[in-house]
Amino acid sequence: MDKEKLKGRVYLSPVISADELVEMINKRAAELGRVPEKEEFEFAQVVKIKYGSWRRCLSIIELDPKYSLSDEELLELVQAKAAEIGRTPERTEFEYGSLIRPRFGSWKKFVLQAGLEPPIPKPKITNEELIEQVQKQAAELGRTPTAPEFKNRKTAQKRFGSWNNFILSAGLKTNDRKLKITNEEFIERVQKQAQELGRTPLRSEFEKGDVAASRFGNWTNFLRSAGLEPKNPRLSNEELIARVQARAAELGRTPLKTEFFHNEAAINRFGSWANFLQSASLEHEGQYMSKKELVKRLKEQKAELGRTPHKAEFKHSSTADKRFGSWKAFLSYAGLGPKRLRNETLIKRVQEKAEQLGRSPKMKEFPLYRQAIKRFGSWTNFLETAGLEVRKVNRISNEELVAAIHEKVAELGRTPTQQEFDYGTLASSRYGTWYEFIKSVGLEPVRARNVFTNEELIEMVQQQAAELGYTPNGPEFKFGSMASQRFGSWAKFVESAGLEVRRTKNVMKNEELIELVHVIAEDLGRTPVREEFPYTSLTITRFGSWTKFLESAGLEQYTAKNRMKNEELIELVQARATELGHAPTKDEFAYTALAKTRYGTWNNFIESAGLEPNNPRYNLSETQLMELIQAQAKKLRRTPFRKEFKYSTYAVKKFGSWDEFIESAGLEKRKAMSGLSDKRLLRLVRAQAKDEGRVPTKRSFPYGAMAASRYGSWSNFLKAAGLKTWKHGPVISNEELIEGVQAMAAELGRIPTNKEFKQKHTAVSRYGSWNEFLCQAGLKPKRSETTLSNEKLISLIQELAAKLGHVPSAEEFLHTKGATYRFGGWIKFLQEAGFDLSKFDRRLSNQELIELVQLKAAELGRSPIVREFQYGQMAASRYGTWGKFMESAGLKSFKARLSYSELIELLLERTAELGRVPKKEEFEFSKRAINKFGSWNTFLVDAGLEGEQTKPTSNNNPLDLWFL
């Protein structure tokens, strides 16, 4: 084991175990269809704590190599598959088919991007073919196959009504379920499986586990009848107590219920978790805790860890959630809320990224792009502030795109893939797909080809091994999947390259584990803690506990109180300063929180280490400060206010007061607000309106509060200045109103409601009513219930009843309000219409509710949310919650929280439905999208759509449109 690989590890102790982390990383990889980036994993910090770095973690856990495949590799692999079978493969024929939808959206888009023709859908299998298949399988098996053994069993069951009907139609005998497997056969099968596994199988691992347990009384009796010993024999009360005491000794405190493996058995035996702990002579910490006590415990744990603990690390997190409403609110109350990166830090990081790429980074290439957009208003503003060139991709014409692709062809000597072309996404957006773009410019799409020979793959892995100093594993090698496929396995590929195969943790011997922990202890100068050892889970499985493992290795357990001394912290920050060439900032040091806890402030810690604080705000000279204020004054065309100057506090410290600083910079002092005359105020607001091309708001005018106070209101002040506000005087003519509603009616294909029309209030105030406005626009207004006679209402309800086959409910009748008003109530109206109410149940039955929601789901193509279902409130009231109602209807409850990809997918569906980019008001989940993406335009950009911007008409005065 190379000692250098074990250095620089973070010595912290999160509650999340290594096994749980591995499971969560694998789950996230399955969601994304690739290896997740550090920023895409919620517990990346915990990974850093346990493994030292994200890359090391991925190499240790040996993630499935398929997730490390890039988009280019997937395209190359599908091209190779197409060449192999002589046609475009189906998704099920492609080994990595499960990765395609999360990456490319659909199989069709994927194959088009690969330059292949979409596969022709397979014809449906006929009943005769189904029968032939099952007869052939029966001949091979020598018996009638069971339903799970038949590949197309679902289709067969659906076509013939049941499995037995299908078997009989095929002229085969049905299986006798009762006599299918005897007890002796069960015993033979479980003994055979135990021999294969090398241990007693679990009930869930045995094919007929539930049937066997039912036959023999329970699973344990079945195993003992087969001469096998149960894997987890029943523990006695004394053994349970001994185990929880051992767990408490290992943790150094009373374990939580979730931290004890046998918690369910303990609660069943002793009645409750508290009784169990009392029997084990352990303190139960479940008593009521005040807010102060919770905060105290949080700060104690923070001092112990050297940082703010995660929610999963704080054992009273559920109590804190209940008491404060959320974990974030609890941290804010305790004064430990998340600290945002400074604007300077964001700018510095994007500049570093630009230097690394050799160009201005794209939005998606910068991990903190959402935070940057939120701070600076847009990605363009952020790049300009950072002094970087803005890439104006969308302004490229189609002719320039064609010229650029031909240049790329000349450079590569072949047709490039979408990923190889700088404007690939833009080209796909303009022409529909990459395939269509390539065809339109007269090029042949890239066909299947083998990119690398076996010799080239071997040469590349040898080169990477030389760079790393060890043999890389599958995920670390860019073409790991291709190599494994070519050579049969990763191990065979590595052997062919003449490299040593890295041994996995499962084959490490006990002596090797002990030797490794001694190496790490020697490297650290002390006994490592559990999180610092890469094979903790394996050692606990082999030796029973971490303590026993250390005892076997002859090492003394290291306590949590003195993990890192002040001298070690100072050595680390000095080493970091040497590496950077300057004193590190808080963001550049791994143990900032611990240092601040120990030394009070970051500057105290830096000074204790004999370094000079590296804060640009406090490195400015008097001359630099004056130059900065003069530049800002020139930009504003006036002397800035103190609150407008970024370094005002430091300037006051340097010059004694703000006025002296302004005088030293040669600027004119601003007169006191009370000293401005009314004429001066009016002159200033007119000048600002002229400069900005619009009427200033109260907030944008520096003396807005004083002006409003002098004139009674901001509107009165604007009137006195001869400026019009949007509330006074029309800003849109009657003709424009009519044109607007006519255009909306044409777009919707129907008459819009007043809620859908943006200028509804203006229209109603001009024309007296909404219906009158629609009449003037040449649109036929919706017929009001007031124009229907009583006889017509009765006729309409009777027609509806005949159509539905039952007495309509109030929700089913279009004119309910009018009928209720005319007849004094819904029941009276039904009586007047001649319905027999003794047979009428005014409440829909539960079954009717379920049938209706299933129809709604079929109509939407997904589970409806509560407000989309006409009887949503009734259903939620009947079943307790909407989720329980959806379960009863056999539907999945629509997620209250939508992921980024789900929101984008819903937006694209809405775009396809409208045939254009939807407006914010037209997208049902616009608020969620804005919360997740920062703004509506950012959401559209991330979805590959261009945001529509409102442009004022040229014949309008800019001052009249300031509110737009």
Side-chain angles (χ1 to χ4, degrees), residues 452-471:
F452 298 113
T453 64
N454 290 357
E455 291 74 19
E456 287 174 326
L457 285 172
I458 288 171
E459 188 180 338
M460 284 190 288
V461 79
Q462 288 171 341
Q463 186 179 351
Q464 188 172 349
E467 290 173 2
L468 295 173
Y470 62 86
T471 304

Side-chain angles (χ1 to χ4, degrees), residues 65-66 68-80 95-96 449-458 460 474-475 477-490 493:
K66 71 179 182 181
S68 64
L69 288 171
S70 64
D71 289 356
E72 292 81 0
E73 287 179 294
L74 284 171
L75 292 168
E76 288 164 5
L77 287 169
V78 79
Q79 289 164 355
E95 185 182 355
Y96 309 104
R449 59 189 178 86
N450 292 323
V451 181
F452 298 113
T453 64
N454 290 357
E455 291 74 19
E456 287 174 326
L457 285 172
I458 288 171
M460 284 190 288
F477 185 54
K478 186 177 180 182
F479 306 103
S481 179
M482 187 189 297
S484 299
Q485 194 176 19
R486 295 266 188 91
F487 290 82
S489 70
W490 177 253
F493 170 59

Side-chain angles (χ1 to χ4, degrees), residues 743-750 756 906-923 936 940 944-948:
M744 182 175 280
E747 185 181 330
L748 296 173
R750 57 176 173 79
E756 292 171 331
L906 288 169
L907 176 67
L908 294 174
E909 287 176 6
R910 183 63 175 152
T911 303
E913 184 184 330
L914 294 174
R916 58 174 174 78
V917 178
K919 298 176 184 177
K920 184 168 60 177
E921 297 78 14
E922 295 172 331
F923 185 56
W936 178 251
L940 293 180
L945 304 172
E946 293 181 4
E948 294 182 353

Side-chain angles (χ1 to χ4, degrees), residues 858-879:
E859 179 187 332
L860 295 173
R862 58 172 173 80
S863 300
I865 57 177
V866 65
R867 66 171 176 269
E868 289 176 333
F869 184 50
Q870 188 178 3
Y871 309 104
Q873 297 299 331
M874 184 194 298
S877 174
R878 293 262 190 98
Y879 287 83

Side-chain angles (χ1 to χ4, degrees), residues 107-118:
W107 179 254
K108 185 178 178 180
K109 290 179 183 177
F110 171 59
V111 294
L112 284 172
Q113 196 165 326
L116 302 171
E117 293 291 341

Side-chain angles (χ1 to χ4, degrees), residues 192-204:
K192 185 180 178 181
Q193 190 172 352
Q195 191 176 355
E196 289 173 0
L197 294 173
R199 57 174 174 79
T200 303
L202 300 174
R203 179 174 174 173
S204 57

Side-chain angles (χ1 to χ4, degrees), residues 737-890:
L737 277 174
I738 288 172
E739 285 174 8
V741 77
Q742 288 171 343
M744 182 175 280
E747 185 181 330
L748 296 173
R750 57 176 173 79
I751 300 170
T753 63
N754 59 355
K755 290 182 180 178
E756 292 171 331
F757 190 58
K758 194 174 181 181
Q759 287 87 19
K760 60 182 177 183
H761 296 298
T762 309
V764 171
S765 66
R766 298 266 186 89
Y767 292 90
S769 70
W770 178 249
N771 279 341
E772 182 60 30
F773 171 57
L774 292 178
C775 286
Q776 293 296 327
L779 301 172
K780 187 179 178 181
K782 289 183 179 179
R783 192 171 184 183
S784 172
E785 286 91 345
T786 55
T787 62
L788 296 174
S789 64
N790 290 359
E791 292 75 15
K792 184 63 177 175
L793 284 171
I794 289 171
S795 173
L796 287 171
I797 192 71
Q798 288 170 344
E799 288 173 7
L800 182 60
K803 185 179 177 181
L804 296 174
H806 62 82
V807 180
S809 64
E811 292 85 357
E812 293 171 327
F813 189 53
L814 183 63
H815 309 288
T816 301
K817 289 184 180 178
T820 305
Y821 176 76
R822 292 274 189 85
F823 293 88
W826 179 250
I827 299 302
K828 291 181 180 178
F829 171 55
L830 292 177
Q831 288 171 341
E832 288 291 332
F835 291 111
D836 184 6
L837 299 183
S838 61
K839 298 178 181 179
F840 173 59
D841 181 7
R842 283 173 288 139
R843 288 163 51 93
L844 289 169
S845 68
N846 290 355
Q847 187 57 39
E848 287 175 322
L849 281 174
I850 287 172
E851 288 174 6
L852 286 169
V853 80
Q854 288 170 342
L855 288 172
K856 187 67 177 176
E859 179 187 332
L860 295 173
R862 58 172 173 80
S863 300
I865 57 177
V866 65
R867 66 171 176 269
E868 289 176 333
F869 184 50
Q870 188 178 3
Y871 309 104
Q873 297 299 331
M874 184 194 298
S877 174
R878 293 262 190 98
Y879 287 83
T881 65
W882 178 252
K884 289 179 181 177
F885 170 59
M886 296 301 286
E887 279 181 25
S888 302

Side-chain angles (χ1 to χ4, degrees), residues 606-620:
I606 290 295
E607 287 168 3
S608 301
L611 301 170
E612 185 178 350
N614 185 32
N615 191 334
R617 189 173 292 194
Y618 297 100
N619 288 337
L620 295 172

